[in-house]
Amino acid sequence: EGIKIAVIDTGIDYTHANFGGPGTVAAFDAAFATSTLPANPALFGPGAPRVKGGIDLVGDDYDAGAKPGDPALVPHPDPNPLDCNGHGSHVAGTAAGSGVLSSGLTYAGPYDATTHGNSFRIGPGVAPKADIFSVRVFGCEGSTDVVVEALDWAVDHDMDVVNMSLGSSYGTSDSADALA
């Protein structure tokens, strides 16, 4: 409790019930339709239930692996790190999701010996009382070249834990990402 976790990944679906959102397709569709604008502060930001902030460093169309000259090579950051891929939401849930009861409602605790007596669709994460911050480094498809910037953001914003479930073929120990 009180720990700040930066999830550097594809973003987080803060509309999901695992993060205190409504957990409906309609809620996600509404958020996605305005995903280049600031997110709904009831679901994302200091007053939100779980995802307390973050940044989208790249935008939906970014892909560091695009062909030379493709506009997708250029990041277009925006204030809304909504996940359009699902991977970031998955790892954020594993790290610090609240849990979703079999009824579809967000589990509100307690997180103690009685927790496992509930019927869950999604069990709580490892640290369900931590504050989650979404740092989006991937567009909806493709790869990224902004991991160093994401790590800088995490340091600049005093994150206690950085969660990066990232990988690539043939990575080296002396790459800028590995050094950062």
Side-chain angles (χ1 to χ4, degrees):
E1 188 170 1
I3 299 297
K4 296 184 337 184
I5 300 175
V7 177
I8 298 175
D9 211 297
T10 62
I12 297 174
D13 176 7
Y14 48 79
T15 72
H16 198 286
N18 202 22
F19 307 112
T24 65
V25 172
F28 176 82
D29 288 347
F32 189 73
T34 59
S35 66
T36 60
L37 302 174
N40 178 344
L43 300 175
F44 175 85
R50 299 307 322 285
V51 184
K52 299 296 186 175
I55 188 168
D56 181 342
L57 294 171
V58 296
D60 289 351
D61 297 328
Y62 173 71
D63 178 2
K67 294 181 177 172
D70 190 321
L73 286 170
V74 179
H76 295 284
D78 65 54
N80 190 338
L82 182 68
D83 189 356
C84 57
N85 173 286
H87 189 268
S89 298
H90 174 81
V91 298
T94 300
S98 296
V100 180
L101 295 167
S102 59
S103 65
L105 297 175
T106 304
Y107 180 64
Y111 299 102
D112 58 21
T114 66
T115 303
H116 296 290
N118 293 284
S119 177
F120 288 103
R121 284 186 189 175
I122 302 170
V126 174
K129 290 187 175 184
D131 292 333
I132 307 167
F133 292 79
S134 177
V135 184
R136 187 172 179 207
V137 298
F138 290 97
C140 293
E141 295 182 27
S143 63
T144 186
D145 281 336
V146 298
V147 172
V148 171
E149 292 87 340
L151 289 167
D152 286 344
W153 186 96
V155 169
D156 290 346
H157 289 85
D158 299 317
M159 297 292 116
D160 299 302
V161 174
V162 173
N163 179 343
M164 292 192 317
S165 177
L166 312 176
S168 65
S169 300
Y170 310 109
T172 63
S173 62
D174 62 349
S175 72
D177 294 352
L179 292 172

